[in-house]
Amino acid sequence: MITLTKAEEKIMKILWGIEKGFIKDILEQYPDPKPPYNSVSTIVRVLVQKEIVGYTAYGNAHQYHPLISKEEYRKNQLSRLVSDYYNNSLKQVVNFFSESKELKKEEVDEVMRMLEDLKSKKDE
């Protein structure tokens, strides 16, 4: 299961946005105050070691690119969240949102349609 620190996640969000880039390209996407070049470089090297980021070498320079998609990471994180905090229970997740968040009627209707579609597919 993929686990990223906040700093690693920030870099991944940038890489998903730019698709590929050198450290300087990643740094350009940071808001001010920007972190030091060496800090970003170190985090990217950790992501390479975790096999989440790959690179193409051009002499001494490396152009980095994600090895996992944002969607893949999002699915992984949601699965971990549901597993760790809701005992793998969709019912508990829905209960949490229904009790702790003001849901608009339109959102509830849309979720109900989605669940009905899912139920129909399971019945086939």
Side-chain angles (χ1 to χ4, degrees):
M1 199 167 273
I2 303 163
T3 304
L4 300 177
T5 66
K6 294 280 186 202
E8 291 168 344
E9 207 171 275
K10 175 72 175 168
I11 288 174
M12 287 307 298
K13 287 178 181 178
I14 290 170
L15 279 174
W16 287 318
I18 65 174
E19 296 182 6
K20 60 184 176 181
F22 298 92
I23 298 297
K24 69 175 185 61
D25 300 321
I26 296 169
L27 266 170
E28 286 174 4
Q29 300 298 313
Y30 270 89
D32 289 328
K34 297 183 185 305
Y37 180 97
N38 288 342
S39 297
V40 173
S41 179
T42 298
I43 295 167
V44 171
R45 282 194 308 261
V46 169
L47 290 168
V48 168
Q49 289 173 348
K50 289 183 173 184
E51 298 180 352
I52 295 169
V53 168
Y55 64 88
T56 304
Y58 297 98
N60 290 336
H62 294 89
Q63 186 179 46
Y64 298 96
H65 59 274
L67 293 177
I68 63 166
S69 69
K70 186 175 184 178
E71 182 65 24
E72 185 180 350
Y73 179 70
R74 185 170 55 182
K75 284 180 184 178
N76 180 283
Q77 291 307 305
L78 187 56
S79 293
R80 185 183 61 78
L81 181 73
V82 171
S83 171
D84 290 354
Y85 295 98
Y86 298 100
N87 299 319
N88 280 326
S89 169
L90 178 59
K91 182 180 171 183
Q92 286 185 22
V93 173
V94 171
N95 186 53
F96 169 79
F97 280 106
S98 67
E99 289 180 351
S100 65
K101 183 180 178 194
E102 288 186 30
L103 298 173
K104 296 176 184 169
K105 182 183 181 316
E106 296 81 24
E107 289 178 310
V108 173
D109 289 342
E110 186 175 346
V111 170
M112 292 300 290
R113 279 192 297 278
M114 292 169 67
L115 289 172
E116 284 298 325
D117 288 347
L118 179 61
K119 183 179 177 185
S120 295
K121 288 177 185 174
K122 295 287 184 182
D123 287 341
E124 294 175 355

